[in-house]
Amino acid sequence: MQGTGQTFVIVGASLAGAKAAEALRAEGFGGRVVLFGEESRRPYERPPLSKEYLRGEKDFDAAAVHPADFYEEHDIELHTSTPVVEIDPAGRAVTLSSGERVAYDRLLLTTGAAPRHLAVDGADLDGVLYLRTVDDADRLRRGLTSEAQVAVIGAGWIGAEVAASARQLGAAVSMVELYRVPLERVLGAEVGAIYRDLHAAHGVDLHFGVGVEAITGRTSVEAVRLSDGTVLPADVVVVGVGVLPRTELAEAAGLVVDNGVVVDEHLQTSVPGIFAAGDVANAHHPRYGTRIRLEHWSAALNQGPAAARSMLGHDVVYDRTPYFFSDQYDLGMEYRGWAPDFDQVVLRGDPSSGAFLCFWLRDSQVAAAMNAGIWDAGDALEALLRAARPIDAASLADPDNDLADLADLAGPPRP
Ligand SMILES: Cc1cc2nc3c(=O)[nH]c(=O)nc-3n(C[C@H](O)[C@H](O)[C@H](O)COP(=O)(O)OP(=O)(O)OC[C@H]3O[C@@H](n4cnc5c(N)ncnc54)[C@H](O)[C@@H]3O)c2cc1C
């Protein structure tokens, strides 16, 4: 067994951290694996919190990363309700809130992200909720009755999914967003409009291109006042205006931080022996030649184990295609790629049918692709994303052209 006598510490007991611990054991690491988490529960996945868990269709165990006995069985020392308050890189130790110091040989930071707070009058009233943890989801769930009037502030992924779940539970829902359509920052105006129409069709009262001026109420929330003067009655307000990486520890320890903890393609930070993965990591992506901080389930799922192998000294390069998914009402989708900017959007299929593809092109090459309601296109889309040559937009749009053939035509995969 390798590493006997060594201690690998992981700070952040969620998806990335738990998957890293699992990978350390799977790779045969025989030393101590110590996983610290500030939440009271064992690691769980967050996507169900705005979907099945929020709607009461799945319980906590279905969201948990591992069964309850997994950690003991694999000799992983899981400490819940145990925040780490300091890292001492020179002394190779972390300090817990109890004051106890724990020495490490390698350290992994998977501290994730936390919701960005809304800074308007009334934002601290009872009934103004954020959604990141199971406790948040439980609190929100109690408010989502069929009599509830819910105002969702921010039509990003969390806001859009919460709005859908709230409607599915029978609540009246209004949605407020500064952009012109939901999800515009990632999908652009054209594809965002498909989601606007979806929410409109499900009876969401939409307010786009407008900000929130104040949240009003005596002790608990009663209404949301918008910058155009509209007053939306609400007894529950859900704020989904983005997240911020939890870099406090890293920053205080002197690690390089820039929109997350900066790591190289091996997921190692600026301090040798300290690694970072998941939502908190701003990782150099060799295929894109730039740093990308992903706030996606799949990045936590895959970067955790990649960082674990890197900690063991394996030559790991994290270069997976970014991937995320979203479910709203009965429209499920997967998005692959990275298109912070694009010059053309190509649709294939009719969005109103609930089964279609979208492509975001940059310099005539596919930078990102989305399959909505179609579940067997993943490999072909991945091949198209990796193809090195320009592709004809009209051929891409034509459902009669086989996607795999188009990928072949577009050329050999990028290295
Ligand atoms: C409601 C919701 C729905 C989502 N839906 C989707 C989806 O449909 N598709 C998708 O791709 N992604 C989705 N995501 C995003 C996805 O869940 C995240 O990308 C993922 O959780 C990131 O995992 P992580 O382990 O990096 O960080 P996190 O899940 O944020 O976990 C970090 C953990 O570290 C702990 N921690 C922080 N600081 C300390 C400290 N000092 N000491 C000890 N512990 C600490 C935190 O308490 C937390 O438990 C969703 C997220 C949310 C909140």
Side-chain angles (χ1 to χ4, degrees), residues 4 252 350:
T4 314
D350 176 7

Side-chain angles (χ1 to χ4, degrees), residues 41-60:
R41 296 167 212 255
R42 73 181 193 271
Y44 58 90
E45 302 194 359
R46 297 183 200 276
L49 302 187
S50 50
K51 312 178 184 69
E52 305 89 339
Y53 183 88
L54 184 62
R55 297 194 298 269
E57 296 160 12
K58 281 191 179 165
D59 63 8
F60 177 80

Side-chain angles (χ1 to χ4, degrees), residues 11-17 36-39 46-47 49-51 82-84 110-113 131-132 158 161 246 248-249 277-280 295-298 300 323-326:
V11 183
S14 185
L15 183 57
F36 291 116
E38 72 182 2
E39 291 185 61
R46 297 183 200 276
L49 302 187
S50 50
K51 312 178 184 69
T82 309
V84 168
T110 49
T111 48
L131 178 57
R132 186 75 191 175
I158 303 282
E161 290 192 352
R246 296 193 55 182
E248 328 72 86
L249 280 179
D279 277 18
V280 79
E295 296 166 356
H296 306 327
W297 169 87
S298 81
Y323 166 97
F324 65 87
F325 64 94
S326 176

Side-chain angles (χ1 to χ4, degrees), residues 219-295:
T219 52
S220 59
V221 58
E222 290 168 21
V224 176
R225 196 170 70 238
L226 307 188
S227 49
D228 64 2
T230 307
V231 173
L232 303 173
D235 39 42
V236 176
V237 170
V238 186
V239 181
V241 293
V243 296
L244 294 170
R246 296 193 55 182
T247 53
E248 328 72 86
L249 280 179
E251 226 162 318
L255 275 61
V256 175
V257 167
D258 177 14
N259 178 31
V261 178
V262 171
V263 294
D264 60 18
E265 65 268 41
H266 314 294
L267 304 176
Q268 183 159 236
T269 69
S270 54
V271 174
I274 305 183
F275 299 76
D279 277 18
V280 79
N282 191 0
H284 178 76
H285 198 297
R287 240 167 71 205
Y288 299 108
T290 186
R291 285 201 303 256
I292 309 181
R293 191 175 66 78
L294 298 164
E295 296 166 356

Side-chain angles (χ1 to χ4, degrees), residues 2 6 8-10 16-29 33 106-110 266-268 275-277 300-316 318:
Q2 64 179 125
Q6 293 200 323
F8 282 13
V9 167
I10 303 171
K19 286 308 236 184
E22 177 190 328
L24 286 173
R25 286 294 180 239
E27 294 289 343
F29 177 64
V33 177
R106 297 269 185 285
L107 177 66
L108 173 60
L109 299 176
T110 49
H266 314 294
L267 304 176
Q268 183 159 236
F275 299 76
L301 182 78
N302 295 302
Q303 282 185 353
R309 288 190 287 275
S310 227
M311 290 164 89
L312 291 167
H314 300 191
D315 185 16
V316 174
Y318 189 85

Side-chain angles (χ1 to χ4, degrees), residues 113-125 128-133 136 139 153-154 212 215 237-246:
R116 188 192 291 272
H117 278 233
L118 196 64
V120 298
D121 282 351
D124 52 0
L125 284 168
V128 178
L129 304 176
Y130 295 82
L131 178 57
R132 186 75 191 175
T133 65
D136 295 338
R139 214 170 293 129
I153 300 177
V212 170
I215 301 173
V237 170
V238 186
V239 181
V241 293
V243 296
L244 294 170
R246 296 193 55 182

